[in-house]
Amino acid sequence: MTTPYNLEQIATYKIGNYKNKPTIIFLHDSLGCIELWRDFPEKLSNLTKCNAIVYDRQGYGKSLPFTKDRDVNYLELEADILMQLISLWGVEKPILFGHSDGGSIALIAAAKYPNKIKAIITEGAHIFVEDITLNGINNAIELYKTTNLKSKLKKYHGTKTDTMFWAWAKTWTTKKFKNWNIEHFLPHIECKSLVIQGEDDEYGTLKQVYNTIKATKTPGKKLILPNIKHTPHKENPNLILKETAAFIATI
């Protein structure tokens, strides 16, 4: 496939120089970027002695702005682009760690390219749209309009902030996107998976976890966290580091 932009201009941050060890690739959420992962990738790399790559998808952080409008299948497109990036970076069979949109991208990539992915870790990944998802996005829209959320995001995304935010908010709240569903991909996932979600996730119910675990070819491991919302690696980083490191040790 062809890509709508130059892959070599994607902003990346590489961590570690461990010989004969896997590489963990971090896939940010719908409003995220390299910087918003903070020091979590470095800590997980140090703990597991794995290399790591963090990158900004097009339209985010320090990467290029969007060049076209999104469609319903934009997450599948990002999974295809990820595989081209993996080839460009010369990485063999990485572990994917995806948060929210990044988690959905990890699931699709592992399903479409089962021989190319060693394992996946997801946090708050979506496989379909729920009412709670739309309510969470509508609340974020209200915050974007009435609080300093926009200025906070601008610190990381600069002049791309408005376009980036509305690309997410408008796409997910269209009537067409309400029927978005990637469950048909899941039976093609052969690698090990750790599926993480907070019990109080404001963007999805635990049905997202249960349906994912039930559908994958290799039974996944679930990690459901009480008193945690949509960003487990920020809300309880020590626990997520411990659990993900233990999972990676089994691969």
Side-chain angles (χ1 to χ4, degrees):
M1 61 164 285
T2 59
T3 61
Y5 57 98
N6 186 344
L7 296 179
E8 293 184 356
Q9 294 186 38
I10 290 295
T12 60
Y13 176 49
K14 297 184 178 182
I15 304 162
N17 188 27
Y18 299 105
K19 303 294 185 183
N20 302 315
K21 294 289 285 185
T23 295
I24 307 168
I25 298 178
F26 289 84
L27 310 170
H28 62 72
D29 64 299
S30 54
L31 303 178
C33 63
I34 292 171
E35 288 184 83
L36 284 168
W37 282 103
R38 301 193 174 97
D39 62 354
F40 185 85
E42 288 95 339
K43 285 184 174 180
L44 188 58
S45 172
N46 291 336
L47 194 59
T48 60
K49 298 297 183 285
C50 289
N51 304 297
I53 297 176
V54 196
Y55 75 102
D56 292 334
R57 296 192 295 277
Q58 184 185 18
Y60 295 86
K62 293 181 172 59
S63 284
L64 297 175
F66 291 121
T67 56
K68 65 177 186 177
D69 293 337
R70 280 180 171 171
D71 62 21
V72 171
N73 296 319
Y74 81 96
L75 292 168
E76 184 177 354
L77 173 63
E78 290 293 349
D80 292 335
I81 292 170
L82 168 62
M83 299 313 299
Q84 293 185 57
L85 287 167
I86 288 170
S87 178
L88 179 69
W89 296 328
V91 174
E92 292 188 10
K93 299 200 75 171
I95 300 164
L96 304 182
F97 190 123
H99 174 225
S100 194
D101 265 21
S104 301
I105 293 167
L107 291 168
I108 297 169
K112 293 188 70 174
Y113 307 94
N115 297 323
K116 301 287 187 180
I117 304 300
K118 182 179 288 289
I120 56 175
I121 300 164
T122 68
E123 283 186 320
H126 290 91
I127 57 174
F128 48 79
V129 180
E130 299 179 279
D131 288 341
I132 189 175
T133 314
L134 299 177
N135 289 338
I137 293 170
N138 285 323
N139 287 338
I141 290 171
E142 185 63 21
L143 291 173
Y144 191 76
K145 290 178 176 178
T146 61
T147 71
N148 65 344
L149 176 59
K150 180 177 178 177
S151 62
K152 286 182 177 179
L153 291 172
K154 196 169 183 179
K155 176 181 176 183
Y156 302 101
H157 304 287
T159 57
K160 298 187 292 291
T161 302
D162 257 345
T163 305
M164 177 273 302
F165 181 86
W166 292 113
W168 167 66
K170 287 184 177 178
T171 300
W172 277 75
T173 53
T174 59
K175 288 183 179 179
K176 189 176 181 181
F177 204 84
K178 194 171 178 65
N179 295 321
W180 174 84
N181 189 305
I182 60 169
E183 288 180 283
H184 62 285
F185 284 113
L186 302 180
H188 302 288
I189 296 176
E190 299 178 359
C191 64
K192 287 187 174 183
S193 58
L194 174 61
V195 182
I196 304 170
Q197 186 159 321
E199 279 189 349
D200 299 332
D201 192 325
E202 63 271 41
Y203 291 99
T205 70
L206 295 180
K207 190 176 179 182
Q208 304 279 351
V209 175
Y210 298 138
N211 283 28
T212 300
I213 294 294
K214 183 171 63 176
T216 55
K217 185 176 290 187
T218 300
K221 178 183 177 181
K222 65 179 181 294
L223 177 60
I224 297 171
L225 305 170
N227 305 312
I228 294 293
K229 293 185 178 180
H230 190 57
T231 317
H233 69 276
K234 289 183 180 177
E235 297 172 61
N236 195 335
N238 290 335
L239 176 61
I240 300 304
L241 286 167
K242 175 185 174 183
E243 294 289 344
T244 53
F247 170 73
I248 290 169
T250 69
I251 299 168

